[in-house]
Amino acid sequence: MSQYSQTPGANIAEVICDLRSDTVTRPDAAMRAAMAAAEVGDDVYGEDPNVNRLEAALAERSGKEAALFLPTGTQSNLVALLAHCGRGEEILTGRGYHVYKYEAGGASALGGIVLDPLGVSEDGGLRPADIAAAVKEDDSHHPITRLLSLENTHNGKAVSLARLDECIAPARAAGLSVHLDGARVFNAATALGCELTEIAGRFDTVSICLSKGLGAPVGSVLVGPADLIDRARRWRKMVGGGMRQAGVLAAAGLHALDHNVARLAEDHARAEALASALRDLGAGSVEQDTNMVFFTPATGENAVLGMALAKQGVVISAGGAGAIRMVLHKDVTDDGFAATLAGLKAHLS
Ligand SMILES: *Cc1c(COP(=O)(O)O)cnc(C)c1O
């Protein structure tokens, strides 16, 4: 089962802490007020002022020429891959990366694009030698290798700038373009203590989610050079992502950029505290990076733990085997966090 599998018994009366994902964050009162007040226009005509503002803001913050607002991160990655590659062309990416594993094969199904999945290293990056070896030679037997697609953060791991450079070098040497699935790139920048431009500047295109830790209800933004973003805009229309008065959603994104980026450090600190509490209990193995904690109970009884916590209003993704992922985010209250720690302690000690 994937990390997105549900917890048995999760349909409980009162949820006081939901750690399944940072996608569960809801627009708060201030964000809803910004959405309600948003001036709107028809974005397919390029006339929605808030969409235009959001695209300009993220282009600027990432140091790119242009940007495109999309309903989801999956669609943002999809139109990026379609803008970079034609039919019979190939993308090198990670076997466990979202683009390969969790986007329903869209680039292949809709774009005739081949994906060559490489093994992902412990640190979330790829191995430079694998990338160099996977670039196909110019031979009519092979697809044409066009693009390297990386991910940061991957499973919460912030891939360092040095590791990104190591992966990008062989791709650039072979003339490939590079895309970043930066769904949580602000978490990466927070953990690495760098500016968004330092990460984005290494890539041609970057996809950024507003609806994860940043707390917007909907939306992703693809940033890149103007010609590529123009092509992506045409693909967005083709796959049905051209929204009309999308300013109510873009206003949420703008609010998130202004208010919810700096506070990501609080989620990381809470994840550290949760990991440390779990380590103290000594009831399994624990890994923590940025806002994510992966806990593998020594008993292997994930579902039992999941159901016990659910009874106390704490929801985790414990439906599968292996590691249980717990994700910290802005809607985790002090009380909810305390209940999580208490619940884990009660059931694991
Ligand atoms: C969430 C996520 C996406 C996009 O997912 P949507 O649910 O389509 O918004 C892409 N990549 C990664 C790594 C993600 O975590």
Side-chain angles (χ1 to χ4, degrees):
M1 265 206 240
S2 86
Q3 66 196 25
Y4 303 119
S5 53
Q6 295 296 304
T7 303
N11 49 347
I12 44 169
E14 201 201 350
V15 175
I16 55 172
C17 190
D18 189 344
L19 299 178
R20 287 171 302 167
S21 178
D22 44 12
T23 56
V24 303
T25 46
R26 294 168 185 175
D28 56 28
M31 184 178 279
R32 283 169 186 265
M35 295 171 75
E39 199 193 332
V40 293
D42 189 324
D43 178 52
V44 176
Y45 292 153
E47 292 171 1
D48 189 289
N50 280 291
V51 172
N52 293 341
R53 246 174 247 146
L54 175 64
E55 291 178 348
L58 270 168
E60 206 209 312
R61 282 179 84 140
S62 59
K64 297 293 184 206
E65 263 179 351
L68 181 66
F69 182 52
L70 300 111
T72 66
T74 297
Q75 193 177 91
S76 179
N77 280 326
L78 174 66
V79 302
L81 304 186
L82 290 167
H84 280 288
C85 302
R87 302 184 72 80
E89 296 186 341
E90 181 189 55
I91 299 168
L92 309 181
T93 191
R95 192 178 303 281
Y97 287 176
H98 206 274
V99 159
Y100 183 72
K101 199 172 174 186
Y102 295 114
E103 299 187 1
S108 303
L110 304 175
I113 300 167
V114 182
L115 279 87
D116 188 355
L118 311 179
V120 178
S121 307
E122 197 51 42
D123 67 2
L126 303 179
R127 283 175 286 272
D130 292 352
I131 295 167
V135 176
K136 311 301 180 284
E137 58 184 290
D138 182 6
D139 177 314
S140 62
H141 292 82
H142 300 316
I144 299 165
T145 313
R146 271 290 176 236
L147 181 74
L148 171 69
S149 182
L150 299 179
E151 185 172 305
N152 206 5
T153 62
H154 171 65
N155 283 347
K157 292 191 173 100
V159 182
S160 72
L161 297 177
R163 280 287 283 128
L164 293 177
D165 287 341
E166 231 177 75
C167 295
I168 291 168
R172 294 288 186 205
L176 309 190
S177 297
V178 267
H179 171 70
L180 179 68
D181 177 357
R184 297 187 180 85
V185 71
F186 280 110
N187 294 85
T190 301
L192 298 173
C194 71
E195 296 298 322
L196 179 60
T197 49
E198 292 178 76
I199 300 177
R202 288 162 156 81
F203 294 87
D204 297 291
T205 48
V206 182
S207 171
I208 304 168
C209 276
L210 300 164
S211 65
K212 304 240 160 121
L214 297 187
V218 162
S220 279
V221 174
L222 178 70
V223 298
D227 59 335
L228 261 158
I229 296 299
D230 280 349
R231 287 216 291 281
R233 191 177 292 277
R234 184 178 294 257
W235 279 115
R236 183 186 71 171
K237 190 76 185 97
M238 204 184 291
V239 297
M243 299 182 285
R244 301 295 177 173
Q245 284 74 35
V248 285
L249 302 173
L254 282 164
H255 182 86
L257 289 178
D258 285 344
H259 297 92
N260 296 342
V261 174
R263 62 153 309 287
L264 291 173
E266 296 170 30
D267 299 337
H268 298 188
R270 270 215 177 126
E272 260 185 72
L274 175 56
S276 150
L278 280 165
R279 285 194 189 101
D280 288 348
L281 291 171
S285 65
V286 183
E287 272 199 67
Q288 178 264 325
D289 294 281
T290 63
N291 66 330
M292 296 189 189
V293 178
F294 290 87
F295 174 59
T296 312
T299 59
E301 296 189 322
N302 295 16
V304 174
L305 176 64
M307 281 187 282
L309 289 177
K311 283 197 190 104
Q312 295 179 296
V314 176
V315 190
I316 58 174
S317 299
I324 297 170
R325 187 183 76 156
M326 289 176 256
V327 186
L328 282 300
H329 54 76
K330 72 183 272 295
D331 286 6
V332 174
T333 61
D334 289 342
D335 287 350
F337 191 60
T340 302
L341 295 178
L344 287 168
K345 202 166 181 181
H347 295 283
L348 294 174
S349 52

